[in-house]
Amino acid sequence: MDCLFCKISNKEIDADILYEDEDVIGFRDIHPQAPYHILFIPRIHVSTLNELETEHATLVGKLTLAAKNTALKLGVAEDGYRILMNCNNHGGQTVFHIHLHLLAGRRMGWPPG
Ligand code: AMP
Ligand code: ZN
């Protein structure tokens, strides 16, 4: 399958990896929108949030825990951070392998654009 994030997970394409376990990999976003911008993806391919099934519940929890643990490691947890997932056109999704954004290092605006 021709998927950019599967290729990063398989190490066919380089990324600045900050987190890795058997199910999840976390790497720096190539166009950071904050001083810290890290993407957490499942190693298995799931295109969008709309394809999530009950069987993926633990995996999605693991993405969240990986983001939290990375925020702690980076020393930004106390100040705070934002995690989010975009879905399809209106959500602003551009890479169709689900990913959790971790944004930190500055105060985030609300509502989002
Ligand atoms: P989204 O718009 O939610 O689908 O997010 C996709 C993100 O992937 C964007 O923030 C891109 O900057 C990022 N991105 C695209 N290609 C790469 C890459 N090769 N390495 C790291 N991040 C990437
Ligand atoms: Zn993929």
Side-chain angles (χ1 to χ4, degrees), residues 4-5 27-31 39 86 92-95 99 101:
L4 175 64
F5 286 178
F27 52 91
R28 285 189 205 273
D29 196 294
I30 206 164
H31 294 124
L39 303 174
N86 296 322
Q93 185 175 7
T94 58
V95 178
H99 46 280
H101 294 256

Side-chain angles (χ1 to χ4, degrees), residues 1-10 12-13 41-47 95-98:
M1 189 189 301
D2 195 27
C3 169
L4 175 64
F5 286 178
C6 281
K7 286 180 179 163
I8 287 178
S9 175
N10 295 333
E12 291 168 46
I13 290 179
I41 66 167
R43 288 192 186 277
I44 62 161
H45 182 86
V46 180
S47 305
V95 178
F96 289 86
H97 177 132
I98 57 165

Side-chain angles (χ1 to χ4, degrees), residues 81-107:
Y81 50 89
R82 181 169 293 168
I83 63 172
L84 65 96
M85 293 174 88
N86 296 322
C87 182
N88 278 344
N89 186 25
H90 282 192
Q93 185 175 7
T94 58
V95 178
F96 289 86
H97 177 132
I98 57 165
H99 46 280
L100 184 72
H101 294 256
L102 167 64
L103 295 149
R106 66 170 172 83
R107 195 163 199 290

Side-chain angles (χ1 to χ4, degrees), residues 49-67:
L49 281 174
N50 291 336
E51 277 67 48
L52 271 187
E53 303 289 348
T54 307
E55 71 196 59
H56 300 125
T58 304
L59 190 56
V60 175
K62 285 183 175 180
L63 293 177
T64 307
L65 285 169

